[in-house]
Amino acid sequence: ETGVTQSPTHLIKTRGQQVTLRCSSQSGHNTVSWYQQALGQGPQFIFQYYREEENGRGNFPPRFSGLQFPNYSSELNVNALELDDSALYLCASSFSAVMNTEAFFGQGTRLTVV
Amino acid sequence: DAKTTQPNSMESNEEEPVHLPCNHSTISGTDYIHWYRQLPSQGPEYVIHGLTSNVNNRMASLAIAEDRKSSTLILHRATLRDAAVYYCILTNMLTFGGGTRLMVKP
């Protein structure tokens, strides 16, 4: 049990809609990273939040946005959904934005866009 | 970003040691080497990480080449529960790559 929880576990949306995914980080962790994992591929980094500020971003368009709250939980928002956005979305929390510490992943949210 | 290269798949017999290789020839001096594994229908799970020296923990050992351009994850006695995709990634975890799918035969 990692202590990182994501909600919802599964979601079906229609192309063009907007979606919000949520992540509760492990107690004591101030950094949350989000990843997109397409079927059969490794996770791709979307962005990272450290103490409520964006601390790095991968090669994703601006319609992927996020927030981190004072309790260090986080949201991933995706606007104007496209079919290719169908994937497993993972969040990972860690004690520090300095990446020599282990990260704990949630079970992910499976998003299907139809 | 520095990339890693791993074999797509490997097979092992149960109770035997497994050596999973990773090449990272463009690693920088400050990059840590991390290993995660992902079981079916689960998020990735931390296995081990290191900088220069070999590392051991309860799950595995990490052997790092002297020039740091490659590393090897060692599972000392593979079990069926070790069947997973193993990812070797560098410090900032921007690029996971495809990982190595480890199959363990009883």
Side-chain angles (χ1 to χ4, degrees), chain A residues 40-107:
Chain A
Q41 297 182 23
Q44 299 299 307
F45 176 74
I46 303 175
F47 44 56
Q48 181 186 81
Y49 278 84
Y50 171 64
R51 292 188 173 181
E52 302 180 61
E53 297 288 332
E54 187 176 290
N55 187 49
R57 189 178 181 90
N59 189 27
F60 280 81
R63 59 189 185 84
F64 286 78
S65 62
L67 280 175
Q68 187 177 34
F69 300 100
N71 66 355
Y72 301 133
S73 65
S74 178
E75 284 182 357
L76 163 65
N77 299 290
V78 186
N79 293 321
L81 283 166
E82 301 177 359
L83 297 179
D84 285 348
D85 296 332
S86 296
L88 181 68
Y89 288 85
L90 296 159
C91 80
S93 79
S94 56
F95 175 69
S96 167
V98 177
M99 293 306 292
N100 61 349
T101 60
E102 62 184 285
F104 293 85
F105 283 81
Q107 298 282 66

Side-chain angles (χ1 to χ4, degrees), chain B residues 89-104:
Chain B
I89 48 181
L90 303 181
T91 294
N92 52 21
M93 291 174 63
L94 294 184
T95 308
F96 267 69
T100 296
R101 181 173 298 279
L102 175 66
M103 292 167 281
V104 180

Side-chain angles (χ1 to χ4, degrees), chain B residues 10 19 34 39 49 52 57 61 70-71 80 87 91 104:
Chain B
M10 290 184 66
H19 290 230
H34 297 253
L39 279 65
H49 76 281
T52 55
N57 67 20
S61 295
S70 65
S71 61
L80 297 179
Y87 296 101
T91 294
V104 180

Side-chain angles (χ1 to χ4, degrees), chain B residues 17-75:
Chain B
V18 181
H19 290 230
L20 298 167
C22 180
N23 287 320
H24 28 79
S25 58
T26 59
I27 192 171
S28 74
T30 57
D31 276 332
Y32 279 76
I33 301 155
H34 297 253
W35 283 82
Y36 283 76
R37 71 181 187 180
Q38 189 171 22
L39 279 65
S41 303
Q42 295 189 25
E45 171 189 31
Y46 170 81
V47 177
I48 199 166
H49 76 281
L51 183 62
T52 55
S53 305
N54 295 343
V55 184
N56 299 294
N57 67 20
R58 63 176 178 81
M59 288 182 71
S61 295
L62 176 60
I64 301 172
E66 198 170 331
D67 63 6
R68 301 210 325 123
K69 294 186 176 184
S70 65
S71 61
T72 301
L73 178 70
I74 302 165
L75 306 179

